[in-house]
Amino acid sequence: EVQLVESGGGLVQPGGSLRLSCAASGFTFSSYAMSWVRQAPGKGLEWVSAINSGGGSTYYADSVKGRFTISRDNAKNTLYLQLNSLKTEDTAMYYCAKDSPYYPSYEYNYWGQGTQVTVSS
């Protein structure tokens, strides 16, 4: 059974940082691209970032480029998202999602339960 468990969210002031984690199990993590997707209150899903299976290729939405960093540790079956220079508009539920083998296709069949990030002074 595929499981994705996010953690690391919380309340942070504008300009602050957080590191999100996504622990994966039930599939060969190292063979799949992974993505982070977020949903702000009252809004639709927004793709944030993706990474290929080996970790050598990363992709970012323009809204987070230069502030967020996606990474993975295939030995630990864990996906990360480092969030720096946070803005109030980054407030959202953040989900990790299992993508396609090797490179992202932005089609997801498994999602985690999400971790809440709230940016507020």
Side-chain angles (χ1 to χ4, degrees), residues 8-86:
L11 174 64
V12 62
Q13 292 186 340
S17 298
L18 283 174
R19 189 195 197 200
L20 307 183
S21 299
C22 172
S25 61
F27 65 103
T28 305
F29 180 74
S30 60
S31 293
Y32 286 84
M34 297 291 295
S35 289
W36 286 98
V37 179
R38 68 185 180 186
Q39 186 169 28
K43 296 190 176 181
L45 291 170
E46 178 190 15
W47 171 77
V48 174
S49 183
I51 188 168
N52 75 323
S53 58
S57 297
T58 56
Y59 313 85
Y60 298 95
D62 287 344
S63 59
V64 307
K65 198 173 294 181
R67 300 188 299 120
F68 292 7
T69 303
I70 191 171
S71 63
R72 65 192 297 162
D73 186 335
N74 285 344
K76 295 183 178 180
N77 288 353
T78 303
L79 176 72
Y80 302 102
L81 187 67
Q82 178 69 41
L83 290 64
N84 296 331
S85 302
L86 281 160

Side-chain angles (χ1 to χ4, degrees), residues 2-6 22-23 34-35 93-98 110-115:
V2 173
Q3 286 195 321
L4 301 168
V5 180
E6 300 95 335
C22 172
M34 297 291 295
S35 289
M93 185 71 79
Y94 284 72
Y95 300 92
C96 68
K98 175 178 173 283
Y110 290 98
W111 302 71
Q113 84 290 347
T115 186

